[in-house]
Structure formats: C-alpha cells, structure tokens
Amino acid sequence: MTQFGTFSYFKQVAISILLILLCTCQTGNIGASSRQLEIEAIESIKLTVLYTNDEHGWMEGIEEGRGAASLFQQWQAQEGFTKDGPFLVLSGGDNWTGPAISTWVEGESMVEVMNAMNYDASAIGNHEFDFGLDTLAVRTKQANFPYLSANATWKGTGSYPLELGILPFTVKAVAGLNVAIIGLSTTETATTTMPSVVAPLVFNEYAQALRKVMPSVKKADPDLIIVISHVCMDELRVLAGEVADLNIAMMGAGHCNELVAEKIGDTLVLGGGYHFSSYAKAVIDYDVKSAAVIGSSFTTHENSIGLEDNAVADIVAQWKSLSAGTLAENLGFSARDWERSGEQLRQAIVNSWLEFDVTADVAITNAGGIRSSISAGEINLGSVVSMLPFNNTIIATQISGRVLRTVLEEGGRPVFAGLTKVGGEWLVGRTGKALAEDGLYRVLINSFMYDGGDGFGMVAEFDPDGFDTQANYREPFVQWLRKLNTSASNPLILD
Ligand SMILES: [Zn+2]
C-alpha cells in the first residue's frame, strides 16, 4: 500500500532524520527517547507480499472483469504496487493448464501475462509438467522470474533439476532487504501429471527438503526467508510446525485452491484462492536494527475492482486474437449450460469415444480431466479445448473383467461408458452379457490414467502393450459435435 512507501523513500527520510539529529545534538533540545522512537520508526521496513496460486491459465477471468488485467490494476490502485516498491508478487504454481487461450499455446501466453504482472517467483506445481519437460524448460526461460522447487530432484543423482530451469530457491533484494524464497512441489506430483513425464524426478518430503537446502540459503545471508509451495493447507499447517525452528517468515500454499491467511507460530501462511479470482496478502514489518520481524498483518482479497490495467489487457487481447482463427471454429450450439460435473456431459464425452472406436467395449476417463462446463450459446473448438485441456491421448487396451472391475470399483470413481450395473452385476453394453472375470475386453483409457495417474496403474500392469491411438482425448467429442450439426434452432441435447 502507498503508506509504506519505497526504499528510496526510507533512505531519504533516514537522511533527513540524521540531519535533524545532528542539529539537535548540538542544541540538546530533543529528548533521547523521542529521537530513538523516530529512528526505530524509520528503520522498520514494511514488505508486502501479494500471493496467488492455481492460476490455471485464467487470464480472462472466471467471469468478466476478474482476470489478470483487473487483478494487476487492483494491486496498483488499492495496494499501491509499483515495480520498484516494497513488494513481492509470488505464486504457488499451476500457472498454465486451463482455458484454450493458455493450453493451446502450452502456457506461453500465461508466462507473458505473469511477466507483465511483475511476478517475482512461482513454485513448480504438478501441472507445470503437463506439456512435457522440454516445454517446461522453454517456459522457465521465457519467464522473467524463477520457478522454484527445493524438493524436486533427479532420481539417481539426487541433484536439483537446474537443466529444466527449476531452482531450489532464489534471493531477491527488495526494499533494502535480502529475501530468500524457497519453493516446494506437492509430493503428489508423481501421479497428478503425466506419470511418465515426471518419472525421472523424485518429489521429496517437505521438511527434509527444506532442512537440506537451508545451509545454501543461509550462505546468502537473507534477512527474511519465505517458502512458496504447491502444497495444500492441511499439509502446510503441519509443515509450519515441523520447521518452526527455521525462522520462516511466510509460507504460501497451492494445489487445493484455498483462499486463506493465518499465522501458525511465527509463520504467516497464505493461500491465494484460484484462477486469479482472489489473492492473499501479507505485510511483514521488519526491524533492521534488531534484524527481526516486529509485526505483520495477513488478509485475503477478492479480485473485485472491475477496472483493467491496459498493458496486461493488451497482452490478453493479443493472445485471444492469435488463437481466435483456429479455436473459433464453430462446432455447434447449446441452448443451456452443461455442468462440468454433470452426468450428462460426462457421459457424452465417454460415449463419443465408443463412437470413435466402435470395436471398444468400454471407455474410461478421469473426472479431473474434465476442467470446465459447456456454456449456453455457440460451442467452438476453444470451449472444448478449455473443457478437456490436457495433452492426453486415448490408449486402447485389452484387460480382464477382473481388472476392469477393480478400475471401476476401487479406482477413484472414473467416468466410463459401455457398462451398466444391474442388480449388483456389471453388464457389457456391446454384448449384453455379464462382465466375466476372466474375459478380455477392449478398453479405451486416457494416457494419464494408463500411465498410472490417479492410481490407475493396474491397467498398464495387466496390459503393458496398450496401443496409443495418438488421438487427443478431446478429439472424439469434437468429431461427435461436428457430426451432430447443432444450431440455435436445433440445439445440443445431452441425455
Ligand atoms: Zn496442482
């Protein structure tokens, strides 16, 4: 906020006070205690941290006027943010995968937006791996800020994946303070992005990783230590207690989309919400003389200003028009919204797979791979890319009835078509017969699940030679929509 001013402001005031002191010493008119108070007031530096996480490509906002341009405008207008001011802008990760405007260009547009918003660092989220390690390495280069994870290491060597542009920590000089910022990634990363992509990496236990990196951090002689993480609040609260001795001033969360600001022991813990719809803020009052935090405040805020920063708005508009040509392709029309979690939309997606491969008995996808709803109005390719944004392909497998039953009944409630349960027994739609434990079935499954994502490793264990159709998991739905040829007078009906 503006009342905190900038470091140069502090310096100027400090010099003025010094001059006053020199004068008053000669005349001896001002009491020592009031002079002391004035010095202490000047020598405390207030650092403001603005924190978001799980942005997921939502630069346009979850609704009109709540996107990246508005958030950045709000930071300037309401928090007094300036590029060289006493601010840190930090993210808890999962920046890229989401609406077509970001997914279609594999996150490149989001990096540009976050550069323009002056982010200082982002944690590495599980979804930062969605487009592969090569793309990740390109994106970390494009970013004007570092991507951080102190608990991601290469299997085998145990070294940090610096080749990917992932650093364990960074040190930032801000408002006259040296602030060390350490990153953490969720230990769930191994199964919450394409498992084969992250197979060369290990995501180590958090407290252990922090203790391991701390000697290197300390060498940089930081005034403050901050941890930004793609770790949910329930785990972070425990971690804050476990590492209370490490003198961490602030921790930021991610992965669970939580909007929260609280204090655990001496550590502020923030969660910024999701999709740029909100942010969390910490103001850390640091006393230079005693080299200690002497006060703090922590709050959460909605992105509600409704005005846009022009520079960020221009970048968003440019990316929108770049992708508009291909993504604007009209695929149909819906007279109503179809909810992302609704049974009708889910069924339509997997049913389209069975039309795509009529020899398949069953189609299975994960509910988490369906990311947004279909809104009333024109449906274009962009809306389907936003709904099914991952680079997952469809794998055709041969698995036994026993494995199939395990997938459906113990595998975290997947979305499936081709089977119905009648009186406690599974019936295969294609044959009309009961599912045989030892029978073999042609099952289509998305590559994330086939890879062992979300704990579905049993499919590849049974059939390690699954055939990759190379068709993106959204492709059958796109083809099906085109074929339906819906319009305003003949809108889409899902039943
Ligand atoms: Zn995540």
Side-chain angles (χ1 to χ4, degrees), residues 395-463:
I395 312 288
T397 65
Q398 289 277 110
I399 58 173
S400 69
R402 186 174 294 110
V403 173
L404 187 49
R405 184 195 295 273
T406 313
V407 169
L408 300 183
E409 294 177 356
E410 292 166 33
R413 284 186 287 159
V415 176
F416 62 91
L419 285 170
T420 44
K421 206 166 196 181
V422 182
E425 192 157 23
W426 289 105
L427 279 183
V428 182
R430 206 164 78 89
T431 59
K433 291 182 181 162
L435 186 74
E437 293 280 296
D438 295 321
L440 275 183
Y441 298 90
R442 184 172 171 85
V443 175
L444 305 177
I445 189 165
N446 77 51
S447 51
F448 164 75
M449 298 169 78
Y450 184 72
D451 225 10
D454 277 358
F456 287 99
M458 63 287 257
V459 176
E461 249 165 57
F462 188 89
D463 178 9

Side-chain angles (χ1 to χ4, degrees), residues 54 94 126-127 230 255:
D54 297 277
D94 274 6
N126 52 310
H127 288 299
H230 197 70
H255 194 52

